Amino acid sequence: MRAVRQMRRVRAFYAGGVLLWAVLTVWTAWQMPGTRQMWVSALLLAVFSGLLLTTSLWLHRLRTEDAPRRPAHHAAPRKATASRHAHA
């Protein structure tokens, strides 16, 4: 399905954004704690984390909707105990 492939690409992009902003937030907090730059990078980390979470939930829902509906339990095959032909 085209939408699933596209969502996977977007999810990979958001994961990269989360990684980048996590590193930059830690670096900025180490170098300049409490500054505006630190809070902006923390905000962008939160935004990309939210986008990643939303995309992951949508992908999970798309997978469960497209999955074939199968019964939870499969019955064992029955074996005929007697033939169904009339004896002559």
Side-chain angles (χ1 to χ4, degrees):
M1 178 188 260
R2 183 176 176 212
V4 173
R5 283 193 310 260
Q6 194 171 15
M7 291 291 282
R8 285 183 184 149
R9 286 187 202 122
V10 170
R11 184 180 61 177
F13 176 77
Y14 290 154
V18 166
L19 182 65
L20 173 72
W21 286 111
V23 169
L24 289 175
T25 301
V26 169
W27 177 263
T28 308
W30 182 264
Q31 296 294 319
M32 300 176 282
T35 61
R36 181 177 288 180
Q37 288 88 355
M38 185 201 76
W39 291 112
V40 167
S41 49
L43 175 68
L44 287 170
L45 174 62
V47 166
F48 272 89
S49 298
L51 290 170
L52 179 63
L53 177 67
T54 304
T55 307
S56 296
L57 288 174
W58 282 349
L59 269 173
H60 180 70
R61 287 182 184 166
L62 282 174
R63 275 191 227 133
T64 56
E65 287 175 2
D66 290 342
R69 305 277 187 225
R70 292 186 293 175
H73 301 285
H74 296 284
R78 293 185 179 194
K79 294 184 179 180
T81 55
S83 66
R84 296 183 181 207
H85 298 288
H87 295 288

